[in-house]
Amino acid sequence: MSEVAAVKRVGVIGVGEIGRALVTGLCDGEGAAPEVFLSPRGARVAAELAARYDGVHVCADNQQVVDRSELVIIAVRRQDRHEALAGLRVGGDKVVVNVMAGVGNDDLRATLARTDAPFVRAIPLPAVRERRSVTVTYPSHPAVDALFERLGGVLPVADEAAFNVFSALTGTLTTHYWYLATLTSWAVAHGIPSEEADGYVRGLFQGVGRSLSDETRTLHQLAADHETPRGSNERIRTTWFDRANVDSLNTALDSLLTDLDDSDDSDGSGDSGDSGDSYDLN
């Protein structure tokens, strides 16, 4: 944790869901928290965090965030980046952490006037607020990796292609929630009160979530351990999640990955929809 201790001042530009989670994770729990400087973007959330934590301050503008920080997290929405970051001056002594989905470091560096500061891409998820989410980073940087190690763990990857594969995987998160909501709606349609159906589905899959912590078993083994031959679980898996559905999911992920790779290759002059927004930043 020596590198984390060395980072005393962290700035966050774009205080949405991920920005809030990062600040909460840094300031809650054990250990000395860094001083945190927030942009006025997302004013309501920024004011709430500043009121909750003594070491959190809302700055007058984004330039003040950069000037006061050693490590700057860029968490604005992809489509807002040019407006939010235009004219921003970042010295070479800063470290820039890019958590914008679908925005490569070359794109961001061009927006920030070709600064010499080191850039690191990262995929933090909302669970960093409880310090229990592994964050993918590229390229590896000791101060950044130590920061995310504090927030639940870090997974540095070898190149941007691998980074984009992990970014595509995060695009499945809300599909999981929608699947659970569909199960609840089905039960309600069969006469179960909404609150009872919702509570049961949540409890059922919270148990599944806990079983994922057992890393001695592969995901396929966990599935097999929850299945009885010719039982109900096997029946739903084989009749609903069949080969066609597996192929459809792979095709959707391949399409998203292609868009993410294309975003990295672009010059940042425009956006091709919101395909890279695989997690909510604002």
Side-chain angles (χ1 to χ4, degrees):
M1 288 297 181
S2 59
E3 291 290 350
V4 172
V7 178
K8 300 293 187 183
R9 300 184 303 280
V10 175
V12 181
I13 296 178
V15 192
E17 179 64 19
I18 293 300
R20 185 210 301 262
L22 288 166
V23 174
T24 302
L26 288 171
C27 295
D28 275 347
E30 299 178 358
E35 199 169 7
V36 178
F37 300 95
L38 305 179
S39 70
R41 192 178 189 86
R44 180 182 60 81
V45 176
E48 172 193 314
L49 291 169
R52 186 187 309 170
Y53 303 112
D54 292 338
V56 175
H57 316 280
V58 181
C59 295
D61 53 35
N62 290 341
Q63 188 60 59
Q64 191 175 77
V65 174
V66 173
D67 293 343
R68 293 186 176 185
S69 305
E70 302 167 74
L71 184 149
V72 182
I73 299 170
I74 308 293
V76 299
R77 292 181 296 184
R78 173 183 175 181
Q79 61 268 34
D80 296 337
R81 68 191 186 280
H82 297 301
E83 176 189 355
L85 305 176
L88 204 60
R89 301 178 305 280
V90 180
D93 59 331
K94 311 292 182 180
V95 178
V96 177
V97 182
N98 170 15
V99 304
M100 294 182 290
V103 179
N105 282 339
D106 289 343
D107 181 333
L108 180 57
R109 191 177 296 277
T111 302
L112 295 176
R114 305 286 179 182
T115 174
D116 293 330
F119 279 48
V120 178
R121 294 188 73 181
I123 313 176
L125 297 174
V128 294
R129 65 167 53 91
E130 291 97 18
R131 301 185 177 189
R132 57 180 181 87
S133 175
V134 174
T135 298
V136 176
T137 62
Y138 171 76
S140 180
H141 186 285
V144 177
D145 290 348
L147 182 81
F148 286 115
E149 187 64 49
R150 172 180 178 145
L151 294 174
V154 64
L155 177 60
V157 296
D159 52 42
E160 205 140 31
F163 183 91
N164 284 340
V165 170
F166 284 101
S167 185
L169 289 176
T170 68
T172 66
L173 188 63
T174 59
T175 301
H176 178 68
Y177 288 124
W178 198 264
Y179 167 71
L180 301 185
T182 301
L183 297 181
T184 300
S185 296
W186 177 85
V188 170
H190 284 268
I192 304 299
S194 178
E195 289 186 2
E196 292 181 14
D198 183 271
Y200 183 76
V201 168
R202 287 175 185 267
L204 180 64
F205 285 90
Q206 282 170 358
V208 171
R210 285 190 291 271
S211 71
L212 291 174
S213 63
D214 179 4
E215 297 180 4
T216 65
R217 293 182 288 173
T218 68
L219 294 176
H220 284 110
Q221 286 173 325
L222 285 172
D225 290 346
H226 284 79
E227 231 174 48
T228 301
R230 294 179 295 280
S232 299
N233 277 276
E234 183 185 76
R235 177 174 177 172
I236 295 298
R237 177 179 61 80
T238 56
T239 58
W240 177 70
F241 199 61
D242 57 11
R243 185 70 251 173
N245 275 332
V246 171
D247 290 343
S248 178
L249 178 57
N250 286 335
T251 298
L253 286 167
D254 285 342
S255 177
L256 174 56
L257 182 60
T258 297
D259 286 347
L260 291 169
D261 288 337
D262 287 346
S263 295
D264 288 346
D265 293 337
S266 73
D267 61 4
S269 58
D271 290 325
S272 55
D274 62 354
S275 59
D277 298 325
S278 45
Y279 37 92
D280 186 15
L281 292 173
N282 281 281

